[in-house]
Amino acid sequence: MPFLDFVAGCISGAMGLTVGHPLDTVKVRLQTQSVYQGLLHCVSETYTHEGLHGFFKGMTFPLLSAGLINSIAFGSYSTALDLLTGSRHSDPSQRKPASAAHVFTAGSFAGLTQLSVSIPIDLVKVRLQGQTSADQYRGSVHCVDEILKKEGPRGLFKGGTALAIRDLLSYGLYFLSYELICEALTEAGKEPGMFSIMTAGGLAGVLSWALATPMDVVKARLQMSEAGGRTYNGILDCMRTSVKEEGVRVFFKGVALNSVRAFPVNAITFLSYERLMKLFHSG
């Protein structure tokens, strides 16, 4: 994996997570708890009972690891794209033209490579975000310890299959839509400017989350099944039970919030990544 892609992905991932975590907390609660009547009610209840701190629950662990996840994803994407196009340079400006199929395949590969790290991290994040008091987990380390004690090492990978399904498709769309939109907004022969990068990154985030939200709901419910949530016998059982009790619209819980959160998060992520890569290669 190219070292510079790793570093740029690390920094941009941490910056993007910092921007989006509060809204991500609200999304998780809407998807896993039926006590909230909607977005504003969830925000109001969280602030009333937990203050601003409630919106940042579970952030420490992901923040420390978001850089790793993002660096693996961006580094893997860059490496895969170089292999698919026969390029020898990690510098995007030196890369040979890639087809849409190349970009989507490289993006899906990026989604696959980051799973071994993202599955346990995402589980801990969701468990901490989903609790409305500190009665169960006192923090990230305590959460991991409790999962290992009660569920064993396999417990850290609960919901992993659903997360894999979500990321394989959404990462492919994520990178493909970014490349296409950025190219459409950039004059021929010129490098993309800040507006093009941020707009393309933001829209890529929105589109990929629109695709990912249904499986994201299933994933979150499976992850909470041993932490006070309902117990399901796998993905299909979760989907059948959820539809039976709440209708098909259950799979779109949090989609509006995901979209609102995704735009600034991914605009910042891509802008940081592109600017850092340009800085590294100009040195």
Side-chain angles (χ1 to χ4, degrees):
M1 183 181 297
F3 177 71
L4 295 180
D5 285 280
F6 183 93
V7 175
C10 183
I11 297 173
S12 62
M15 292 181 68
L17 183 136
T18 302
V19 171
H21 192 82
L23 287 177
D24 187 59
T25 297
V26 176
K27 178 212 69 170
V28 168
R29 293 189 174 189
L30 287 172
Q31 290 179 337
T32 60
Q33 301 175 33
S34 58
V35 297
Y36 302 113
Q37 299 169 8
L39 171 61
L40 294 180
H41 183 235
C42 181
V43 171
S44 175
E45 287 293 295
T46 299
Y47 181 76
T48 300
H49 296 289
E50 303 167 66
L52 288 175
H53 172 71
F55 296 101
F56 293 90
K57 280 188 172 180
M59 181 175 174
T60 303
F61 195 33
L63 183 59
L64 294 174
S65 51
L68 177 60
I69 294 174
N70 211 58
S71 64
I72 292 173
F74 275 81
S76 299
Y77 170 74
S78 180
T79 300
L81 204 57
D82 282 346
L83 290 173
L84 290 170
T85 59
S87 301
R88 296 183 179 180
H89 305 278
S90 60
D91 182 358
S93 64
Q94 300 295 318
R95 181 175 290 131
K96 295 179 181 179
S99 67
H102 286 154
V103 175
F104 185 85
T105 301
S108 296
F109 176 72
L112 176 65
T113 56
Q114 52 84 45
L115 285 173
S116 61
V117 176
S118 67
I119 290 174
I121 290 172
D122 189 71
L123 174 69
V124 174
K125 176 184 73 70
V126 168
R127 291 278 179 96
L128 290 172
Q129 289 175 317
Q131 69 174 6
T132 56
S133 68
D135 296 334
Q136 190 167 14
Y137 305 119
R138 296 191 297 271
S140 301
V141 175
H142 182 245
C143 180
V144 172
D145 186 52
E146 287 294 297
I147 292 172
L148 290 174
K149 285 181 180 178
K150 297 178 180 179
E151 305 169 53
R154 290 182 61 184
L156 289 173
F157 293 87
K158 184 174 291 293
T161 302
L163 182 59
I165 295 172
R166 186 197 77 175
D167 284 359
L168 282 175
L169 296 176
S170 62
Y171 266 82
L173 178 61
Y174 180 57
F175 283 103
L176 176 60
S177 56
Y178 171 75
E179 295 289 355
L180 292 177
I181 295 171
C182 196
E183 181 180 354
L185 295 175
T186 304
E187 291 185 36
K190 293 186 177 182
E191 292 187 6
M194 180 182 296
F195 173 78
S196 299
I197 294 172
M198 294 190 73
T199 301
L203 290 177
V206 172
L207 290 171
S208 62
W209 268 111
L211 175 65
T213 295
M215 193 53 64
D216 189 55
V217 173
V218 175
K219 182 266 307 177
R221 293 188 171 203
L222 290 172
Q223 290 173 323
M224 288 296 293
S225 63
E226 299 293 336
R230 182 165 185 164
T231 301
Y232 302 100
N233 295 318
I235 294 175
L236 293 179
D237 180 52
C238 179
M239 295 176 69
R240 283 194 297 262
T241 303
S242 298
V243 170
K244 183 178 180 180
E245 296 182 352
E246 302 174 60
V248 177
R249 63 185 299 177
V250 67
F251 296 122
F252 298 95
K253 275 192 171 184
V255 65
L257 190 58
N258 272 337
S259 299
V260 171
R261 178 179 66 90
F263 194 95
V265 168
N266 292 285
I268 293 297
T269 297
F270 268 107
L271 180 64
S272 302
Y273 176 79
E274 296 284 11
R275 288 294 183 256
L276 285 168
M277 289 299 291
K278 184 177 181 179
L279 176 64
F280 292 155
H281 287 287
S282 65

